[in-house]
């Protein structure tokens, strides 16, 4: 029994869901997302999206909850949007943006310039005495997570001093240094 897959997804006002030939399309005020699906049936009834499976094979059980979660993320994305915040911890680490071009100074011999996808909006916040913060927002949860992981991968947080790029609110596992 899939606890997640059996829950209906509520469609908020201003969002339209269309299912045709193993392709679900969700449109809202922030954009439009499409997702192909297989092995399950997706139906729109009243203001709910229902995901059902025809049998209890291992493949269908796995995809039942998966596609329900993907549809839920799509509906939330086009109505509210998704946000990830990254914090740059380290002396001299800076971030600035011009449009969708993000420039990071992370202690390398050169600055890293990253052209972001048009769907992702970037904002940098730099206050005196605080670490710079990069805010990424989009209607596509997968795209925001992928871009955030790529930025974090440029300088992952190290366990001794905690320097690097980390998510806001992320708890790092710290290690003790050399004992004298």
């Amino acid at each position: 029994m899939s606890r997640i897959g059996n829950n209906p997804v509520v469609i908020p006002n201003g969002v339209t869901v269309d299912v045709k030939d193993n392709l679900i399309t969700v449109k809202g005020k922030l954009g439009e997302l499409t997702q192909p699906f297989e092995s399950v049936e997706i139906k729109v009834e009243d203001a709910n999206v229902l995901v059902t499976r025809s049998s209890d094979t291992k493949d269908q059980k796995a995809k039942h909850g998966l596609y329900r979660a993907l549809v839920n993320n799509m509906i939330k994305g086009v109505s509210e949007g998704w946000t990830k915040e990254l914090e740059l911890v380290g002396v001299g680490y800076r971030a600035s943006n011009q449009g969708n071009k993000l420039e990071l100074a992370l202690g390398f011999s050169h600055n890293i310039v990253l052209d972001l996808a048009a769907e992702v909006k970037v904002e940098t916040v730099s206050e005196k005495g605080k670490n710079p913060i990069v805010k990424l927002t989009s209607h596509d949860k997968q795209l925001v997570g992928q871009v955030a992981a790529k930025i974090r991968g440029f300088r992952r947080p190290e366990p001794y001093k905690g320097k690097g790029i980390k998510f806001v609110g992320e708890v790092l596992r710290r290690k003790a240094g050399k004992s004298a």
Side-chain angles (χ1 to χ4, degrees), residues 4-9 24 37 40-43 49-53 63-69 71-72:
I4 293 173
N6 289 332
N7 292 337
V9 181
I24 184 166
F37 63 92
V40 294
E41 287 182 32
I42 298 180
K43 290 182 266 183
V49 177
L50 300 173
V51 180
T52 56
R53 61 178 187 251
K63 291 184 178 173
H64 188 204
L66 167 75
Y67 285 119
R68 190 263 179 207
V71 169
N72 186 43

Side-chain angles (χ1 to χ4, degrees), residues 130-159:
K130 292 187 179 179
N131 294 327
I133 293 177
V134 177
K135 292 182 183 179
L136 302 168
T137 55
S138 177
H139 61 278
D140 191 348
K141 184 178 185 179
Q142 294 174 355
L143 186 61
V144 170
Q146 185 178 5
V147 171
K150 182 172 183 153
I151 293 171
R152 186 177 185 266
F154 290 134
R155 184 73 90 168
R156 294 180 62 100
E158 52 95 19

Side-chain angles (χ1 to χ4, degrees), residues 9 16 60 64 68 83 99 117 128:
V9 181
T16 59
Q60 284 191 343
H64 188 204
R68 190 263 179 207
T83 303
K128 189 169 176 131

Side-chain angles (χ1 to χ4, degrees), residues 72-169:
N72 186 43
N73 290 342
M74 290 166 62
I75 289 174
K76 185 177 177 203
V78 297
S79 60
E80 302 169 24
W82 295 98
T83 303
K84 288 266 189 190
E85 293 185 352
L86 297 156
E87 183 178 5
L88 281 65
V89 181
V91 176
Y93 288 9
R94 291 186 310 276
S96 62
N97 72 306
Q98 294 166 345
N100 263 16
K101 196 173 273 198
L102 179 65
E103 186 172 348
L104 301 168
L106 300 175
F108 296 119
S109 61
H110 59 284
N111 290 348
I112 297 170
V113 179
L114 189 65
D115 285 325
L116 300 177
E119 296 88 15
V120 179
K121 304 284 182 265
V122 64
E123 178 188 347
T124 54
V125 179
S126 298
E127 294 180 20
K128 189 169 176 131
K130 292 187 179 179
N131 294 327
I133 293 177
V134 177
K135 292 182 183 179
L136 302 168
T137 55
S138 177
H139 61 278
D140 191 348
K141 184 178 185 179
Q142 294 174 355
L143 186 61
V144 170
Q146 185 178 5
V147 171
K150 182 172 183 153
I151 293 171
R152 186 177 185 266
F154 290 134
R155 184 73 90 168
R156 294 180 62 100
E158 52 95 19
Y160 298 101
K161 290 185 177 179
K163 287 174 51 174
I165 302 175
K166 68 181 190 97
F167 293 109
V168 171

Side-chain angles (χ1 to χ4, degrees), residues 22-42:
N22 290 346
L23 187 73
I24 184 166
T25 305
V26 179
K27 295 179 187 171
K29 63 180 181 184
L30 297 179
E32 177 180 344
L33 293 170
T34 59
Q35 175 70 44
F37 63 92
E38 60 183 32
S39 303
V40 294
E41 287 182 32
I42 298 180

